[in-house]
Amino acid sequence: MKTVFEPGTLEELNARLSHLQPDSERQWGKMTAPQMLAHCSRGIEMAAGNIKPPRIFIGRILGPIIKPIALKDDEPMRRNSPAAPFLLVLDDKDFATEKTKFCECLNQFATTGPPACTTHPHAFFGPLTPDQWGILMYKHVDHHLRQFGA
């Protein structure tokens, strides 16, 4: 399975990010490209333990059921998958600023590798191993790059 911790996969994501433009059209959802970049930065910050959200109630119930399905293979995340409220970005953002921030977050997390991962549980899925964090972060970034055709 693809993970952000593999150098080739990180190169692929960075190449796809280079095609993203401020006016890239979304294929689904409501976010603009700058909002999506800020959203993805928050996801990486959560995986690194810089943001420690509480478990959400529905995640305590469904997380153990959905986690093995979501992480079992390279199947992409579904369109319009729900996001935890703390990851939502509703205000306007500057594209260049958010792209730079996200690229820095992603590359630092990926090159540090498994030691960069938090032991704090994911808000929906609960406890994740470093390998699971790496897979989930790939799937999350891939999902949003596909959302904008990158």
Side-chain angles (χ1 to χ4, degrees):
M1 283 191 281
K2 289 190 173 186
T3 171
V4 296
F5 300 137
E6 295 171 350
T9 301
L10 180 59
E11 288 176 28
E12 169 209 323
L13 292 176
N14 281 314
R16 291 169 63 191
L17 276 162
S18 72
H19 296 294
L20 190 66
Q21 299 298 315
D23 59 351
S24 292
E25 291 287 327
R26 64 180 173 258
Q27 310 297 308
W28 69 83
K30 298 177 182 177
M31 289 187 283
T32 63
Q35 288 172 326
M36 176 273 289
L37 290 165
H39 167 80
C40 287
S41 290
R42 289 181 186 176
I44 296 289
E45 290 173 336
M46 178 181 63
N50 299 330
I51 297 174
K52 295 182 178 179
R55 294 287 311 274
I56 57 175
F57 178 72
I58 194 72
R60 291 182 184 274
I61 297 167
L62 296 177
I65 297 165
I66 296 175
K67 178 169 62 171
I69 296 166
L71 299 175
K72 73 176 178 170
D73 57 26
D74 282 330
E75 183 75 21
M77 292 173 68
R78 294 182 183 173
R79 290 182 176 202
N80 296 311
S81 295
F86 66 90
L87 289 178
L88 297 177
V89 177
L90 304 174
D91 54 326
D92 291 334
K93 297 291 184 184
D94 176 70
F95 179 81
T97 301
E98 296 305 327
K99 187 173 183 181
T100 299
K101 179 182 176 183
F102 175 63
C103 288
E104 288 173 359
C105 284
L106 174 64
N107 286 293
Q108 180 177 358
F109 180 75
T111 56
T112 302
C117 297
T118 186
T119 57
H120 187 78
H122 185 276
F124 183 81
F125 294 123
L128 295 174
T129 67
D131 287 341
Q132 289 171 327
W133 277 114
I135 293 165
L136 183 61
M137 290 303 98
Y138 170 77
K139 286 185 171 229
H140 187 240
V141 173
D142 170 70
H143 171 76
H144 286 295
L145 290 175
R146 286 185 305 105
Q147 179 185 16
F148 285 89

